[in-house]
Amino acid sequence: MPRPNPRHPNFPIPGGPVLRAKGWRQEALLRLLENVLCVGEDPENLVVYAALGKAARNWASHRAIVRALREMEEDQTLLIQSGKPVGLLTTHTKAPLVIMANCNIVGQWAKAEVFYELQRKGLICWGGLTAGAWQYIGSQGVIQGTYEIFMRIAEKRFSGSLAGRFILTAGLGGMGGAQPLAGRMAGAAILCVDIDPERAEKRKGIGYLEHVAPDLDTALAMIEAAVKEKRATSIGLVGNAAEIYPEIARRGIVPDIVTDQTSAHDLVYGYVPKGMGLAEVKSLREDGQGQLMAASRASIVEHVGAMLDFQKRGAEVFDNGNLIRTQAREGGVKNAFDIPIFTEAYLRPLFARAIGPFRWMALSGEESDIARIDELVLEMYPDNRIVTNWIRLARENVPFEGLPARIAWLGHGERTALALAVNRLVADGELQGPVAFSRDHLDAGAMAHPNIMTERMKDGSDAIADWPLLDAMLLSSSMADLVVVHSGGGGYAGYMTSCGVTLVADGTDAAAERLGHALTNDTALGVIRYADAGYEESFDEIAAKGIGHVTVG
Ligand code: NAD
């Protein structure tokens, strides 16, 4: 039975044994589509996260997708173009049920202004990474990544512990909302600034944020007390980061770690310029785009100026994947790229082994299914320190949103083995229902983004988007249930291409075959991509795991 959704009452959380589609594979994708709206930021407008990342082009497209998923046979494939269903064709039972191409604009035209115009005409929509691909699981989707970044910094700078350390960040939206909980789980005192009081209250309501301070003085006093007592805490503050960061710097306070996760990538629908109220910004989004872009960029210049100032005074400062340095550089901040990107600075050795954000969703809607899989992960990987530590922390600290789900960074072979073991649990009736698997698009072979994922690759291949395209074709050939190619929308237009995949473990032999091929080949491609760029860790992985890498010359 669907469960009530207190956050968005019009969007009940799917679950239960009753199928509305003609098979579990189709039903699973339908539930995932419902779920991204259940846990989304503005479901009434189909917006899931990252300012404009949408689940479908419009409500008519959404209704047509739901109809198709309910009516389609297992030997058909549904084609989705930028959030609109355009074809339901006969393929075969081992073909993907859904293939999608979202927001891919040819090179010279791939600019924010062109995107906004195409969107205004109703011809395109941006799927973010996981919104349009129906893979978003709420703020949990990035939480382990954020936690691992903090822990890598702890190891690099603070003898392995963030107890008594102050993290300053901004953005409490769909993804940024993971920061207060990740910071607290890492043992730090974290201050999160957001201009929108509703977002701060929302994160507090779902248990990701502990306190909302009434003003900056109180917030800093709360942080100071926690730092002194080496007590982990998360404090929200309503304000504009372009004002608050410089003010903290002006007071001579230097946080230990500084980052930002406002929607700085989108100067119109995401970032809020200083001095403007939310209502004023909203009213300018349709008719005053040029004015908003200029104002947002000017604010980002000050925002990043303060981040550089903190860096100069010894803070560990990093870009957490929102294009804020790029926007600042275009606004004239020549040294914006003195701030490193998190992927290169902390996580690349993991990606070079194709260890990345893998995730699973209990389609039954039962939290007990995730608890059983948590146990399974601990049984299967007792020596994997990153994943055992994470699962133990997550089951204690991470509240569920929407369909119960878990994320854990696993690599080549590990993902396949886990998914096959879960498929057996489904077959044996040990779980209440099937389980869907996907991963973030920010994964080894799956993303080209020269200012985030592939910045400063060893061989200079940062901007080459062949890899996510190869990944999508490989996944389609490897029987995945849903395969998608996304490119950037809004301010990300022209900056990125990524590939996403979803698989359904329904307990059948056919599912085992799909999971085995698709998950294995997906991570194999990830390792090959990094080997091709010259990363030693990838060659080790190829040798240790017998990955079919072709060498030339
Ligand atoms: P969102 O649009 O849901 O939330 C953005 C938040 O920023 C909102 O709450 C908004 O009120 C706040 N904000 C905007 N301007 C502000 C300002 N000047 N001062 C203070 N607060 C301000 O977006 P999201 O889903 O949380 O994503 C945030 C950014 O992170 C996006 O650019 C997204 O692309 C990026 N992202 C990075 C990763 C990663 O792996 N590192 C993953 C997902 C998203």
Side-chain angles (χ1 to χ4, degrees):
M1 288 296 283
R3 279 183 293 131
N5 182 359
R7 226 176 110 188
H8 301 299
N10 294 334
F11 297 84
I13 300 162
V18 180
L19 299 191
R20 296 151 303 167
K22 293 185 177 169
W24 257 116
R25 291 171 71 209
Q26 300 95 309
E27 176 73 22
L29 298 181
L30 176 57
R31 291 186 187 195
L32 295 179
L33 168 59
E34 290 167 334
N35 191 50
V36 296
L37 292 175
C38 288
V39 296
E41 291 300 294
D42 180 12
E44 310 285 349
N45 289 308
L46 291 161
V47 169
V48 178
Y49 76 107
L52 265 187
K54 291 174 80 174
R57 178 109 49 107
N58 49 40
W59 279 108
S61 294
H62 179 274
R63 282 191 294 275
I65 293 169
V66 170
R67 212 167 37 242
L69 289 172
R70 289 177 79 135
E71 289 169 5
M72 70 189 292
E73 303 290 341
E74 267 214 78
D75 64 354
Q76 291 183 303
T77 297
L78 176 64
L79 279 62
I80 301 212
Q81 180 262 324
S82 285
K84 183 175 95 170
V86 291
L88 182 58
L89 304 178
T90 300
T91 49
H92 53 85
T93 54
K94 291 187 176 181
L97 279 176
V98 175
I99 55 173
M100 303 176 163
N102 289 333
C103 204
N104 300 285
I105 304 175
V106 295
Q108 296 289 334
W109 277 258
K111 300 190 166 46
E113 291 82 351
V114 177
F115 166 82
Y116 294 133
E117 180 58 15
L118 291 171
Q119 180 183 250
R120 200 185 56 73
K121 289 181 178 161
L123 295 174
I124 204 164
C125 83
W126 183 47
L129 300 181
T130 52
W134 318 334
Q135 296 157 338
Y136 183 76
I137 55 172
S139 298
Q140 189 182 165
V142 287
I143 194 166
Q144 193 192 355
T146 311
Y147 170 83
E148 297 299 343
I149 292 169
F150 291 152
M151 292 318 290
R152 291 298 88 76
I153 296 174
E155 285 158 15
K156 181 176 139 190
R157 295 276 307 265
F158 306 112
S159 315
S161 167
L162 292 186
R165 300 290 167 186
F166 169 21
I167 302 176
L168 171 65
T169 188
L172 287 169
M175 298 280 70
Q179 299 179 105
L181 183 53
R184 191 159 60 80
M185 288 165 81
I190 182 166
L191 176 60
C192 307
V193 182
D194 198 295
I195 189 66
D196 185 347
E198 272 182 33
R199 306 286 190 124
E201 284 308 326
K202 198 180 277 182
R203 301 307 153 209
K204 193 171 164 222
I206 58 168
Y208 272 65
L209 173 69
E210 282 180 311
H211 311 283
V212 180
D215 51 52
L216 178 60
D217 290 342
T218 315
L220 289 174
M222 290 165 89
I223 290 286
E224 197 184 343
V227 164
K228 238 185 225 147
E229 295 162 26
K230 294 193 185 308
R231 175 169 46 82
T233 191
S234 55
I235 316 285
L237 175 67
V238 177
N240 196 308
E243 287 167 337
I244 301 285
Y245 280 36
E247 174 57 23
I248 293 176
R250 198 190 59 74
R251 294 184 187 194
I253 299 169
V254 184
D256 296 290
I257 300 172
V258 179
T259 188
D260 172 72
Q261 222 168 9
T262 58
S263 271
H265 72 274
D266 194 314
L267 301 176
V268 176
Y269 291 87
Y271 196 82
V272 177
K274 78 175 204 189
M276 280 195 192
L278 286 172
E280 187 186 354
V281 169
K282 278 182 191 154
S283 74
L284 283 171
R285 280 181 175 155
E286 295 309 313
D287 301 325
Q289 290 185 355
Q291 184 190 341
L292 260 187
M293 286 174 95
S296 290
R297 207 186 293 285
S299 287
I300 288 175
V301 164
E302 292 183 55
H303 188 158
V304 170
M307 291 171 77
L308 285 162
D309 191 10
F310 289 130
Q311 186 186 44
K312 238 186 267 153
R313 293 197 263 158
E316 179 81 12
V317 181
F318 67 94
D319 177 322
N320 200 1
N322 63 352
L323 225 59
I324 194 162
R325 298 167 306 160
T326 315
Q327 305 287 20
R329 188 174 57 187
E330 282 173 25
V333 183
K334 290 202 180 68
N335 61 338
F337 277 68
D338 285 356
I339 298 172
I341 185 73
F342 73 102
T343 44
E344 194 211 2
Y346 314 115
L347 302 179
R348 192 149 289 163
L350 295 178
F351 286 129
R353 291 184 186 274
I355 296 171
F358 190 49
R359 54 180 72 179
W360 48 94
M361 288 74 78
L363 297 166
S364 63
E366 298 296 332
E367 294 180 6
S368 59
D369 284 356
I370 296 298
R372 178 67 189 91
I373 302 172
D374 284 344
E375 284 303 324
L376 182 68
V377 177
L378 295 174
E379 284 159 27
M380 288 179 71
Y381 302 112
D383 301 326
N384 183 330
R385 197 181 54 80
I386 291 183
V387 88
T388 52
N389 172 50
W390 173 252
I391 293 289
R392 290 197 179 102
L393 270 174
R395 65 181 181 186
E396 292 297 314
N397 292 285
V398 181
F400 291 120
E401 297 175 77
L403 280 178
R406 184 69 79 219
I407 186 146
W409 280 52
L410 289 168
H412 184 71
E414 294 171 331
R415 298 182 188 187
T416 313
L418 177 67
L420 291 174
V422 168
N423 196 49
R424 283 193 295 274
L425 290 184
V426 176
D428 295 345
E430 278 201 49
L431 300 178
Q432 303 295 309
V435 173
F437 289 91
S438 74
R439 55 155 173 74
D440 199 5
H441 293 211
L442 188 121
D443 201 30
M447 182 187 277
H449 192 322
N451 280 175
I452 297 184
M453 183 63 174
T454 47
E455 183 165 320
R456 290 170 18 117
M457 290 293 284
K458 221 170 175 174
D459 63 344
S461 59
D462 308 16
I464 294 178
D466 292 340
W467 298 100
L469 299 180
L470 274 178
D471 198 14
M473 289 186 276
L474 178 65
L475 286 162
S476 288
S477 321
S478 303
M479 303 180 235
D481 287 304
L482 176 146
V483 182
V484 53
V485 177
H486 279 185
S487 290
Y492 281 134
Y495 279 94
M496 63 190 293
T497 296
S498 66
C499 158
V501 59
T502 301
L503 286 133
V504 183
D506 61 5
T508 59
D509 291 344
E513 191 183 9
R514 279 191 289 271
L515 292 162
H517 285 291
L519 293 176
T520 306
N521 290 341
D522 188 37
T523 44
L525 182 89
V527 176
I528 289 169
R529 192 267 177 269
Y530 279 82
D532 196 68
Y535 288 86
E536 284 308 318
E537 297 91 336
S538 315
F539 290 106
D540 294 346
E541 197 70 3
I542 284 168
K545 304 222 170 127
I547 293 171
H549 178 224
V550 176
T551 49
V552 176

